[in-house]
Amino acid sequence: MRRLSLLLGLGLLTGCAGGHPGKYVVFFTPNSAQLDAPAQTVISQAAQRAVANNAKVRVEGYAAASHDLSADELLAIDRAKIVARQLAVDGVDAGHISQQPRGPMNNEDGALASRRVEIEVGGH
């Protein structure tokens, strides 16, 4: 059931990101910075767009606020770094990638939204 709600939330948030053609959203499991297959697919799509357009890429990492704010902040930083590293592996010039941690967030709508990294290709 939890997996189903995660997938439904993923679909909803990805749909919201669809309004901006250069925005991609990668989701993580709670307290994790591990990339799963769907996350790698999203990163690959963003990388393909960035490479094709020789575009700059902004990576913003989020984490939920819990009892240990410093750990949450580090998790947001780690998530952004891992996504940025994978973008570089997928062919994006590392000099075109900027990282911005946004955690910890306690005003996010839902736990899923606070377990994400947003990738914006171009437009900044």
Side-chain angles (χ1 to χ4, degrees), residues 3-121:
R3 177 71 88 185
L4 177 60
S5 64
L6 177 65
L7 291 175
L8 290 174
L10 172 66
L12 290 174
L13 285 174
T14 302
C16 293
H20 187 288
K23 193 169 194 176
Y24 300 83
V25 183
V26 176
F27 294 95
F28 293 85
T29 57
N31 302 315
S32 172
Q34 297 288 328
L35 295 174
D36 59 12
Q40 289 178 341
T41 299
V42 171
I43 296 167
S44 176
Q45 291 170 351
Q48 288 173 9
R49 181 183 182 106
V51 170
N53 295 297
N54 194 31
K56 301 256 186 215
V57 179
R58 184 173 54 215
V59 177
E60 295 182 348
Y62 293 80
S66 67
H67 299 293
D68 188 350
L69 295 179
S70 61
D72 296 332
E73 186 174 3
L74 288 174
L75 182 58
I77 292 168
D78 287 346
R79 287 174 174 168
K81 282 182 180 181
I82 286 168
V83 169
R85 187 176 310 131
Q86 187 62 46
L87 284 164
V89 167
D90 288 346
V92 178
D93 182 341
H96 287 179
I97 302 170
S98 65
Q99 298 174 47
Q100 180 84 34
R102 295 284 186 193
M105 307 295 288
N106 60 6
N107 62 347
E108 290 291 327
D109 281 337
L112 184 61
S114 64
R115 298 190 326 252
R116 75 186 189 279
V117 168
E118 293 181 2
I119 305 168
E120 186 175 347
V121 178

